[in-house]
Amino acid sequence: MTLHTKIEQPEVGAPVGYVFFAVQKRLKVASKFVDFSRKIVLDLGCGNGAYTVEIAKVAKNICRGYRRPKIGLFTRYKKSLPANLCIEIIKASGEYLPFRSEEFDLVTMIEVLEHVSSEEEYLSEIYRVLKTNGDLILFVPNRLYPFETHGATIKGIRLSRWTPFVSYLPEPLHARIAHARIYTEKKLRLFIKEAGFKTMAVEYFYPPLDYIYLPQKIKKFYRQIATILENSFLRRFGVSLFMLARKT
């Protein structure tokens, strides 16, 4: 059985800023279930390294997956970091990782899976390089979020990311017009199971509003409300889906 959803022209997503609220919030969600300290971590496809740097502050060692458009940016940024941060930048394809089997305690893919050429090949390689009982942290776009966060194009016209309900279109149509995949919890669980992992935890993440200009007091109030929603039955309508999967 194959669950792969082909996107006609997948685009590379824009990375978050180094000090964005989204970075702290996503890592806080993940830290509820995983202790990053003293772990050997592969942060696969993480753009400008915003998450990599924060993980490296507590991890034993971290290798960053290669992502072509932002590799130079992170290389320059890395020079300004403390020397005790153990970060190694690796140029490699996610389908063919240049590591030994069972080399890592933890692999993170934060808003990356939706852009790759083949989910099955990426997950297979991640499974290979993870140690037994090692964990995979995934953040992916949530299909139940009312807006298509990566945008879509219909007959040459690019739709705004704020065009409502594009994400609710039938999957074959969405795959034809969207620039990235989106996932339901059920579908992601099936992917994980097919790759040999066991789902350990699922959470939902509401939009952090980092890119929207608003007074800080309003953003703070919204984020308090978002936290309440993330712990209610409305959590399933969040922008992002978090999953912790374990190699057992």
Side-chain angles (χ1 to χ4, degrees):
M1 177 179 66
T2 179
L3 299 170
H4 175 69
T5 302
K6 182 179 179 182
I7 299 295
E8 297 298 330
Q9 292 183 324
E11 293 187 357
V12 176
V16 298
Y18 290 106
V19 295
F20 274 18
F21 175 77
V23 176
Q24 303 301 325
K25 182 66 181 288
R26 282 192 172 92
L27 292 181
K28 183 178 179 181
V29 170
S31 295
K32 289 168 56 178
F33 306 98
V34 174
D35 181 6
F36 288 93
S37 63
R38 313 305 297 169
K39 295 286 179 64
I40 301 175
V41 183
L42 171 63
D43 195 14
L44 184 59
C46 64
N48 61 7
Y51 291 97
T52 317
V53 171
E54 295 305 314
I55 296 171
K57 290 177 181 178
V58 293
K60 178 180 180 181
N61 186 33
I62 185 163
C63 291
R64 175 193 177 275
Y66 174 53
R67 183 168 178 244
R68 191 181 316 157
K70 301 298 176 182
I71 193 75
L73 175 61
F74 186 37
T75 300
R76 292 192 298 271
Y77 178 63
K78 184 173 179 288
K79 294 178 181 179
S80 65
L81 298 174
N84 63 340
L85 284 188
C86 196
I87 300 175
E88 182 180 3
I89 299 175
I90 300 295
K91 296 181 180 180
S93 168
E95 296 96 330
Y96 306 100
L97 295 172
F99 306 112
R100 298 186 303 271
S101 296
E102 301 199 359
E103 185 164 344
F104 295 96
D105 301 303
L106 178 66
V107 175
T108 61
M109 283 187 76
I110 302 175
E111 304 291 344
V112 173
L113 188 66
E114 65 270 20
H115 300 289
V116 304
S117 56
S118 170
E119 296 125 313
E120 288 90 344
E121 292 179 6
Y122 267 67
L123 291 174
S124 176
E125 272 293 87
I126 292 170
Y127 188 90
R128 181 184 65 80
V129 301
L130 268 176
K131 298 176 182 178
T132 301
N133 293 319
D135 289 326
L136 166 62
I137 287 176
L138 285 173
F139 279 92
V140 297
N142 178 24
R143 184 172 179 81
L144 295 183
Y145 184 63
F147 303 97
E148 175 50 68
T149 57
H150 290 90
T153 300
I154 299 178
K155 294 184 177 182
I157 301 175
R158 186 166 185 133
L159 302 180
S160 165
R161 295 183 180 186
W162 298 107
T163 304
F165 309 123
V166 174
S167 58
Y168 291 176
L169 293 173
E171 189 168 301
L173 178 56
H174 179 271
R176 289 185 62 184
I177 68 172
H179 302 152
R181 302 179 189 90
I182 51 178
Y183 300 87
T184 61
E185 178 182 333
K186 179 180 179 180
K187 183 172 182 178
L188 193 58
R189 283 180 179 273
L190 287 173
F191 266 124
I192 292 302
K193 182 178 180 181
E194 190 178 59
F197 293 93
K198 180 180 180 181
T199 299
M200 304 302 295
V202 175
E203 294 279 341
Y204 291 86
F205 176 81
Y206 264 66
L209 300 189
D210 282 315
Y211 288 104
I212 298 178
Y213 177 77
L214 287 171
Q216 285 303 313
K217 287 185 178 180
I218 295 178
K219 281 191 175 183
K220 183 178 180 180
F221 176 72
Y222 159 78
R223 288 165 178 168
Q224 291 172 341
I225 298 300
T227 300
I228 295 173
L229 294 175
E230 289 163 355
N231 290 283
S232 75
F233 72 96
L234 293 174
R235 63 185 179 276
R236 291 182 177 273
F237 296 96
V239 66
S240 189
L241 170 63
F242 160 81
M243 181 170 286
L244 174 67
R246 182 161 296 163
K247 176 181 177 177
T248 60

